[in-house]
């Protein structure tokens, strides 16, 4: 099994010339009191932005202090290509965190929360900031659990016009949509770029509205479908991203 991952925010600027590092605070507490790491076990440290290194546990002190030895200078994991961004319409309840968690696990690079016209959930003022903070915390924890060293970026909530502008800059712009009155093609047969940016839009429970589809089409996006079944908004992005990651070779 691969070594557990812990976040060290200042890793890129840490002085590691003597090969020692102390992990404390919330991450140290998790390592010592939850994971119960012992001397000799290996761990991975990352800042979540691609910088990472490995070390060996030398001692666990108290309840929240892990002393590491043999810590090498950090290296940076290359940015994966093509980059996959999922524009996720706001689901009801905790399904937004479920979507972020599973998309992080499969390897999505960025998630953009979208206030679609048919969204039941509304991110306004303090409630919106709390919800965004939950999505970001979910991405961080899921990134650690899935042994990633470059966590997905969770952007500020976007309007439909902002989503259209993002689609206009993409090398491949996709809207997941299945409707007999709106032509779509299987995502499994779409021509994919070798690099650049893929932007994938996942609509809300009520679907993407005709007005939104028209605006996105004008921005260069095409409607695609996954298969015969209709997925929930909280699972569609993960399924589509997995398909793209396999087809682009990022899973090979």
């Amino acid at each position: 099994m691969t070594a557990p991952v812990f976040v060290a925010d200042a890793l890129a600027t840490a002085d590691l010339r003597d090969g020692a590092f102390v992990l404390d605070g919330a991450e140290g507490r998790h390592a010592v009191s939850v994971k119960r790491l012992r001397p000799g076990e290996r761990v991975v440290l990352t800042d979540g932005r691609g910088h990472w290194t490995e070390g060996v546990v030398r001692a666990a002190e108290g309840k929240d202090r892990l002393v590491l030895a043999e810590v090498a200078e950090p290296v940076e994991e290359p940015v994966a290509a093509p980059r996959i961004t999922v524009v996720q319409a706001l689901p009801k309840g905790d399904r937004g965190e479920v979507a972020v968690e599973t998309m992080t696990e499969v390897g999505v690079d960025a998630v953009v929360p979208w206030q679609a016209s048919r969204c039941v959930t509304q991110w306004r003022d303090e409630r919106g900031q709390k919800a965004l903070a939950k999505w970001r915390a979910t991405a961080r924890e899921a990134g650690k659990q899935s042994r990633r060293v470059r966590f997905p970026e969770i952007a500020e909530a976007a309007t439909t016009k902002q989503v259209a502008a993002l689609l206009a800059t993409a090398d491949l712009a996709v809207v997941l949509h299945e409707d007999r009155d709106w032509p779509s093609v299987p995502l499994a047969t779409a021509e994919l770029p070798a690099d650049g940016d893929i932007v994938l839009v996942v609509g809300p429970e009520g679907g993407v509205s005709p007005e939104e589809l028209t605006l996105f089409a004008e921005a260069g996006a095409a409607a695609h479908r996954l298969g015969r079944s209709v997925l929930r908004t909280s699972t569609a992005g993960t399924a589509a991203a997995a398909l793209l990651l396999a087809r682009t070779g990022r899973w090979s």
Side-chain angles (χ1 to χ4, degrees), residues 12-32:
T13 58
D15 184 357
L16 301 173
R17 285 175 294 181
D18 60 357
F21 187 87
V22 174
L23 186 69
D24 52 15
E27 290 293 282
R29 185 176 304 108
H30 186 248
V32 174

Side-chain angles (χ1 to χ4, degrees), residues 41-73:
E41 295 187 78
R42 301 197 69 84
V43 300
V44 171
L45 299 175
T46 181
D47 61 1
R49 297 183 295 277
H51 301 99
W52 70 279
T53 187
E54 285 188 301
V56 177
V57 177
R58 188 171 69 192
E61 300 176 351
K63 296 181 178 180
D64 60 358
R65 183 179 169 89
L66 194 72
V67 181
L68 302 174
E70 301 178 32
V71 182
E73 287 295 325

Side-chain angles (χ1 to χ4, degrees), residues 4 6 31-39 41-43 57 60 66:
F6 296 94
V32 174
S33 300
V34 179
K35 301 293 288 187
R36 298 186 179 277
L37 296 180
R38 295 293 180 261
E41 295 187 78
R42 301 197 69 84
V43 300
V57 177
L66 194 72

Side-chain angles (χ1 to χ4, degrees), residues 111-180:
V111 180
V112 179
W114 172 37
Q115 187 72 64
S117 63
R118 292 177 175 173
C119 283
V120 174
T121 298
Q122 300 288 318
W123 280 13
R124 294 197 181 104
D125 304 324
E126 185 178 353
R127 178 182 178 181
Q129 290 304 308
K130 287 183 178 178
L132 180 60
K134 283 185 178 180
W135 281 33
R136 287 174 171 167
T138 298
R140 176 184 171 109
E141 293 307 309
K144 291 165 55 181
Q145 185 276 327
S146 55
R147 308 298 198 261
R148 290 181 62 168
V149 296
R150 190 181 292 277
F151 302 162
E153 173 191 349
I154 309 297
E156 296 284 335
T159 64
T160 297
K161 287 185 177 180
Q162 289 171 328
V163 172
L166 179 63
L167 291 169
T169 65
D171 296 278
L172 175 64
V174 171
V175 180
L176 288 184
H177 186 70
E178 192 283 320
D179 191 322
R180 68 183 63 185

